[in-house]
Amino acid sequence: MEHKNLEKAVEIFSLLLAGEEVSKKHHVELYEAYVSNAQVADGLDVLLKKSNLRLYEYNYALYLTSGEGNRVFGFTNDELKKIIGLRLNRELFLAYFIIFEVVTLFYRDSGNYSQREYVRAEDVIEKVSGALHEMMPKLEVLVKNDTEETSFRTISLLWEDMPMTTANEDMASLKAARGTKVGMVKLVFNFLIDQNLFTEMGGRYYARDRFKALVENYYEDSRGRLYEIAAKSQAVTRQDGPEREDDHAPY
């Protein structure tokens, strides 16, 4: 590999680590070098693999994310609790579930973007409540072991026990905080905004290109156990078929 190409690969790597954008708009020369020069791309790939990092390209821009179990660039559960503003593991697991349902509001899979511009806290609350309501009766079929079952029952009870808002507060005025559904969702979105995945305007949360890049590749590369359970839940629902009109009859 030529020294100048290695230097470009290292420069791209350093910029991405620092949170800078390498794209057709920013650091254009380096982006073009990555796209058009195989040696630059290969050099960057080596640096990423050695650092347990992944590179995603979306809309003429490069995005970096940590690989699974990355202790240097990723977050531990304790670190995430502190960053988001949580105290208990069950609150963190609920936050994970909320994030997953936010993803499904925009995407069903990598090729199925819903085209919605934004979501609101109430949209997410409705989605989380609906998903848990659908999953819980089928839990014994969906999970693999007692640990998974306990985890889902714990977050379901936690969510169920949370009031929508506190007394004398409405959706718009309630701040991000533990203890209410609205506050919990806002805590999660504050984290997503800090990670450059969303932007907020007037109570509406708009997905940024970084979110789209990560989500589309998530469906392709590392769907995870939560995705498997959600997909299985939907499959079981389809097998059960639609409810008959007399299922809710008063007699």
Side-chain angles (χ1 to χ4, degrees):
M1 178 183 294
E2 293 183 15
H3 185 70
K4 65 178 182 180
N5 291 328
L6 177 59
E7 280 189 336
K8 287 181 180 179
V10 171
E11 189 173 357
I12 294 170
F13 183 71
S14 299
L15 287 169
L16 291 173
L17 279 182
E20 298 236 11
E21 183 178 316
V22 178
S23 66
K24 274 213 164 188
K25 295 180 180 178
H26 304 279
H27 301 291
V28 180
E29 183 182 346
L30 290 174
Y31 176 77
E32 293 297 340
Y34 169 79
V35 173
S36 62
N37 190 319
Q39 285 195 353
V40 174
D42 289 344
L44 181 58
D45 189 52
V46 170
L47 292 168
L48 294 167
K49 285 180 178 177
K50 291 294 183 182
S51 305
N52 190 15
L53 294 166
R54 292 182 178 181
L55 185 73
Y56 298 138
E57 187 176 2
Y58 181 86
N59 200 19
Y60 305 106
L62 305 179
Y63 298 95
L64 203 62
T65 185
S66 61
E68 187 175 351
N70 191 321
R71 296 186 178 183
V72 178
F73 299 106
F75 297 115
T76 66
N77 283 348
D78 286 339
E79 287 170 340
L80 274 176
K81 282 188 289 187
K82 186 175 180 180
I83 291 168
I84 298 175
L86 307 172
R87 290 190 305 173
L88 306 173
N89 284 338
R90 63 175 177 265
E91 293 171 339
L92 180 60
F93 297 153
L94 177 58
Y96 287 150
F97 191 80
I98 291 170
I99 291 171
F100 178 79
E101 293 304 325
V102 168
V103 169
T104 62
L105 280 168
F106 287 92
Y107 288 86
R108 287 187 179 275
D109 54 55
S110 61
N112 191 353
Y113 179 57
S114 72
Q115 299 301 321
R116 68 189 302 158
E117 288 185 67
Y118 62 85
V119 295
R120 299 165 300 172
E122 48 264 49
D123 300 325
V124 178
I125 291 168
E126 182 180 353
K127 190 71 167 64
V128 171
S129 298
L132 289 172
H133 178 75
E134 184 179 279
M135 286 181 178
M136 297 313 294
K138 301 175 286 191
L139 211 52
E140 292 181 3
V141 179
L142 301 178
V143 299
K144 288 181 177 179
N145 51 52
D146 291 342
T147 301
E148 286 187 351
E149 182 175 352
T150 300
S151 296
F152 273 97
R153 294 199 185 281
T154 299
I155 65 171
S156 180
L157 286 171
L158 177 60
W159 182 254
E160 209 174 289
D161 288 343
M162 282 183 179
M164 183 69 74
T165 62
T166 56
N168 302 319
E169 288 186 296
D170 56 24
M171 287 270 194
S173 63
L174 190 66
K175 295 181 180 179
R178 300 161 50 252
T180 68
K181 289 182 173 69
V182 176
M184 188 71 175
V185 168
K186 288 187 175 182
L187 274 180
V188 169
F189 268 115
N190 282 352
F191 169 71
L192 296 176
I193 290 168
D194 286 343
Q195 295 301 306
N196 234 356
L197 298 170
F198 276 85
T199 186
E200 187 267 341
M201 188 180 299
R204 297 175 176 181
Y205 298 94
Y206 295 83
R208 305 189 67 162
D209 277 355
R210 176 175 167 80
F211 170 81
K212 297 173 185 178
L214 298 184
V215 169
E216 291 190 12
N217 286 278
Y218 161 80
Y219 277 107
E220 296 296 329
D221 296 343
S222 54
R223 296 180 176 185
R225 180 66 182 138
L226 186 52
Y227 175 86
E228 292 177 10
I229 293 172
K232 190 174 181 180
S233 175
Q234 292 172 2
V236 170
T237 300
R238 287 194 295 268
Q239 288 172 6
D240 290 343
E243 294 176 326
R244 298 170 303 178
E245 287 186 1
D246 62 349
D247 279 348
H248 300 290
Y251 48 86

